[in-house]
Amino acid sequence: MFHILSMSIKIALASLLCGALLSAFDMSAAEMLAKVGMTPEHIAELAQKAIAWALPNMVLGSMIIIPLWAIAYMLRPPRG
C-alpha cells in the first residue's frame, strides 16, 4: 500500500512541476490538445464511451469471477 501511495505522490509532484514549466512558457492544456486535433469535449465524449462500454462488461464478468473467487477462497487450506 505504501508503494502505491509513494508512486502516486511522485507522479503528482512530477505533473505539477511539468505543468508549472509549461505554464512558464505560456502553454495551456487546450493548446496542447488543439495541436493534436483534440478538444476537451471530445476527450470527455471518449471517456463517456469508454465507461459506457466497460461498466456493463465489468458487471457481467464479476457475476462469474466473484462466485469463483469465493469458492476458491472457501476451499483454500487454513493458514497457520
Side-chain angles (χ1 to χ4, degrees):
M1 186 66 174
F2 176 74
H3 179 68
I4 293 173
L5 181 62
S6 173
M7 181 182 58
S8 298
I9 290 172
K10 288 177 186 177
I11 290 172
L13 287 175
S15 298
L16 179 65
L17 290 173
C18 185
L21 181 65
L22 289 173
S23 179
F25 289 111
D26 292 326
M27 298 182 81
S28 69
E31 290 175 4
M32 298 290 286
L33 287 173
K35 286 182 181 182
V36 295
M38 302 289 275
T39 63
E41 293 81 17
H42 186 65
I43 299 287
E45 180 184 338
L46 289 175
Q48 284 179 333
K49 285 182 180 179
I51 291 171
W53 172 83
L55 196 58
N57 287 316
M58 288 175 67
V59 170
L60 182 61
S62 69
M63 293 174 70
I64 301 299
I65 297 300
I66 290 176
L68 289 176
W69 173 82
I71 291 169
Y73 184 79
M74 288 187 288
L75 295 176
R76 195 170 55 181
R79 295 182 189 177

